Amino acid sequence: MKPIAVSIDRTSPVPLYHQLAEQLTAAIASGQLGPGDAFENELALADRLALSRPTVRRAIAELVARGLLVRRRGVGTTVASQVIHRRDELTSLYDDMVRRGQQPTTRVLGFRSAAKNPGAAAALGLPPETPLVSIERLRLAGDVPTAVMHNWLPPRFADISAEEVASGSLYAALRDRGVRPVIAHQTIGARRPTAAERKLLGLKPGDPLLTMTRRAYDADGAAVEFGDHCYRYDQYAFDVTVHDH
């Protein structure tokens, strides 16, 4: 592989491993390193930049944690297949894919316009017997399965059709009805996939899932959507910025 130019400022208060991690991240984001490319050997990179091996190892571990690099026994470290990064803003997966220049496609796995689900109803602040719009979809980036998404909507959106959510973004369908989600509460986690999820997402035994539940609200504070989603661990990541109070 072609070595990536890296400039390390030893007078900077920014830790050396973080300087290295950020510049390698930028090289991947800009396309200097593409999906599947072999990554420079840890020892060679340390020697070339006159850095300690623990410093380089920590930087590489940071990129592995971000889903940008993959370590495989017998193969070494390679650039991961293109990962979708969701920033800490209220967007749909469809929008995230379009923004990255990918071609999102959707398979509707299930659609009911009057489903009963007490847990989803509670998340939407509705009585447990409320008939909800229930939508289950498989979202793909081109031909690569990325997420299984289950969403529930209040009954005022019962006119949304399966064809509509198959051809575009659920949030676009809401905006077409004059509703704009403006704030959401999200919970991010991980778990083992079910057999059905493993098959849909093309996972191997032992592969984990990234999970997210979301309750989205409009400008008046009314709940407009509850989502329970799971993502391939190697195709998705969340970027979150935190601030000191």
Side-chain angles (χ1 to χ4, degrees):
M1 63 159 285
K2 179 182 177 181
I4 298 299
V6 175
S7 177
I8 299 296
D9 182 0
R10 288 173 169 76
T11 66
S12 170
V14 178
L16 299 181
Y17 84 90
H18 188 71
Q19 292 185 46
L20 177 57
E22 288 302 301
Q23 291 181 61
L24 294 175
T25 296
I28 294 172
S30 67
Q32 294 181 61
L33 290 173
D37 283 353
F39 192 75
E40 190 171 0
N41 176 272
E42 178 184 299
L43 181 58
L45 186 58
D47 288 344
R48 180 165 69 85
L49 300 177
L51 293 172
S52 69
R53 289 192 68 180
T55 295
V56 173
R57 188 176 301 120
R58 187 171 179 183
I60 292 175
E62 179 76 17
L63 269 68
V64 171
R66 295 179 189 178
L68 299 176
L69 294 179
V70 177
R71 285 173 169 153
R72 293 189 176 93
R73 185 174 298 174
V75 176
T77 303
T78 59
V79 179
S81 57
Q82 193 170 31
V83 175
I84 300 165
H85 286 255
R86 171 164 283 173
R87 297 179 293 182
D88 54 335
E89 57 183 283
L90 188 50
T91 58
S92 69
L93 176 57
Y94 188 96
D95 295 333
D96 293 336
M97 288 180 168
V98 170
R99 183 166 53 190
R100 286 190 60 87
Q102 296 178 315
Q103 180 60 52
T105 56
T106 304
R107 281 175 48 197
V108 177
L109 305 174
F111 187 93
R112 290 185 291 167
S113 58
K116 302 290 182 65
N117 186 301
L124 292 167
L126 298 171
E129 293 302 309
T130 302
L132 306 175
V133 180
S134 171
I135 308 166
E136 188 173 10
R137 295 164 292 164
L138 174 66
R139 180 60 51 75
L140 304 94
D143 296 325
V144 180
T146 300
V148 176
M149 305 181 295
H150 203 159
N151 296 83
W152 290 267
L153 309 176
R156 62 179 166 136
F157 300 117
D159 64 322
I160 289 179
S161 68
E163 292 74 20
E164 191 172 5
V165 295
S167 60
S169 161
L170 176 59
Y171 278 14
L174 295 179
R175 290 192 294 267
D176 288 344
R177 288 159 176 79
V179 176
R180 180 171 174 265
V182 296
I183 192 169
H185 175 78
Q186 297 183 162
T187 301
I188 301 166
R191 61 173 172 80
R192 294 186 181 277
T194 65
E197 290 166 341
R198 185 181 300 118
K199 183 177 180 180
L200 285 168
L201 293 172
L203 296 171
K204 298 176 182 177
D207 284 348
L209 283 177
L210 178 65
T211 65
M212 179 190 72
T213 59
R214 168 188 277 185
R215 298 191 303 274
Y217 303 85
D218 64 16
D220 294 326
V224 297
E225 174 243 356
F226 171 65
D228 186 359
H229 302 169
C230 60
Y231 307 85
R232 277 186 62 125
Y233 75 99
D234 59 349
Q235 293 292 320
Y236 202 81
F238 288 91
D239 289 335
V240 180
T241 301
V242 294
H243 303 274
D244 188 14
H245 291 291

